[in-house]
């Protein structure tokens, strides 16, 4: 399927591994020029080389911590100057520490909000003026299925991530006339480095109705579709990509 991404410029945050990398790779395979960021320069270079093999477009890596909001805005400006756009923005960040919320201090909640909410909002705010000028945009925010199925296993994530769904739905009426869609992707258990290190990995996989963990490419394909032309009537949604798990573990 031609997703209409040839010649488009996509930005993918935290794309050195896992679902961010898989998303960037699928966007490149669909023909987009892709700008990626990550904190570790060595991992960033390896990811860029992998993405470069996936598609014909250009790949531009930038060392960046998404908690630095000024640096995130500068990344948007630099991408626009070099590649144009952006037409697609995929926000992404790591998750807060696992475990229940009882016993957590307010500083733990503040840090979780900074990571899981404000880092996304800062990038969106930086990119929207460019998308308005272009009259086209796809904003995808990668969160977690915990925003729909809270679980004590990931208490901080379950508490703060639902704010992204509210943010997306709030933007819909304002951005719709400008041709910009805003959606949230809520992934379940995929075979990423973090999930592969879980001590009860086999038990988790067995609990998924499809009988396996998701492949990062499964998730990347969904993200690429939502970034494409055919998804132009999908906005304000939170799409759970979890193999039918449905309930947190």
């Amino acid at each position: 399927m031609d997703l209409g991404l040839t010649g488009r410029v996509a930005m993918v945050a935290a794309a050195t591994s896992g679902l961010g990398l898989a998303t960037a790779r699928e966007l490149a395979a669909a023909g987009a020029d892709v700008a990626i960021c990550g904190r570790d320069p060595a991992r960033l270079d390896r990811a860029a080389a992998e993405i470069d093999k996936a598609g014909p477009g250009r790949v531009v890596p930038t060392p960046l911590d998404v908690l630095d909001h000024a640096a995130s805005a500068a990344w948007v400006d630099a991408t626009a100057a070099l590649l144009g756009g952006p037409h697609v923005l995929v926000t992404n960040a790591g998750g807060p520490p696992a475990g229940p919320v009882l016993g957590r201090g307010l500083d733990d909640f503040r840090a979780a909000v900074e990571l899981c909410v404000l880092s996304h909002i800062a990038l969106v705010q930086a990119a929207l003026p460019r998308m308005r000028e272009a009259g086209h945009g796809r904003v995808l925010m990668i969160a977690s299925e915990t925003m729909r199925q809270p679980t004590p296993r990931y208490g901080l994530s379950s508490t703060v991530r639902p704010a992204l769904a509210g943010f997306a739905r709030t933007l819909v009426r304002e951005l719709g006339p400008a041709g910009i869609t805003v959606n949230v992707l809520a992934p379940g258990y995929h075979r990423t480095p973090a999930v592969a290190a879980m001590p009860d990995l086999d038990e988790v996989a067995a609990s998924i109705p499809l009988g396996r963990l998701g492949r990062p490419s499964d998730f990347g394909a969904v993200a690429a579709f939502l970034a494409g032309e055919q998804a132009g009537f999908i906005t304000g949604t939170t799409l759970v990509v979890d193999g039918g798990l449905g309930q947190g573990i």
Side-chain angles (χ1 to χ4, degrees):
M1 178 187 295
D2 182 359
L3 298 179
L5 289 170
T6 300
R8 298 291 192 188
V9 175
M11 299 181 67
V12 184
T16 57
S17 68
L19 302 184
L21 174 58
T23 297
R25 190 168 53 234
E26 292 294 331
L27 290 168
D33 293 333
V34 182
I36 63 171
C37 75
R39 291 177 297 177
D40 185 322
R43 291 175 62 189
L44 190 62
D45 288 341
R46 288 195 295 270
E50 181 177 336
I51 296 164
D52 188 52
K53 295 176 182 177
R58 293 171 288 180
V59 182
V60 179
T62 299
L64 173 69
D65 186 340
V66 294
L67 289 174
D68 186 337
H69 300 165
S72 293
W75 179 43
V76 172
D77 290 340
T79 299
L82 181 63
L83 299 176
H87 307 101
V88 177
L89 173 67
V90 182
T91 66
N92 187 28
V101 293
L102 291 180
R104 299 283 186 185
L106 288 180
D107 285 343
D108 296 318
F109 286 93
R110 290 190 185 97
V113 170
E114 283 283 348
L115 179 64
C116 298
V117 181
L118 297 183
S119 67
H120 295 258
I121 291 174
L123 268 171
V124 173
Q125 288 180 329
L128 283 181
R130 307 273 182 184
M131 292 183 174
R132 284 182 179 277
E133 291 175 7
H136 174 90
R138 299 283 188 268
V139 175
L140 302 176
M141 293 179 281
I142 299 178
S144 164
E145 72 167 353
T146 59
M147 64 190 299
R148 296 290 294 272
Q149 297 291 344
T151 169
R153 182 171 188 156
Y154 299 109
L156 287 172
S157 179
S158 299
T159 301
V160 304
R161 288 192 192 270
L164 288 183
F167 179 57
R169 288 194 296 269
T170 301
L171 290 175
V172 165
R173 288 197 176 276
E174 182 178 354
L175 297 179
I180 301 170
T181 65
V182 186
N183 293 292
V184 180
L185 283 166
Y189 293 101
H190 291 70
R191 195 173 287 280
T192 63
V195 170
M198 292 172 59
D200 57 345
L201 184 62
D202 291 341
E203 179 184 345
V204 170
S207 70
I208 297 172
L210 288 180
R212 64 173 177 86
L213 298 172
R215 295 179 290 266
S217 59
D218 294 333
F219 180 87
V222 174
F225 174 77
L226 285 177
E229 293 297 323
Q230 291 87 342
F233 203 60
I234 303 173
T235 190
T237 67
T238 296
L239 181 61
V240 179
V241 187
D242 70 349
L245 182 60
Q247 297 292 328
I249 295 176

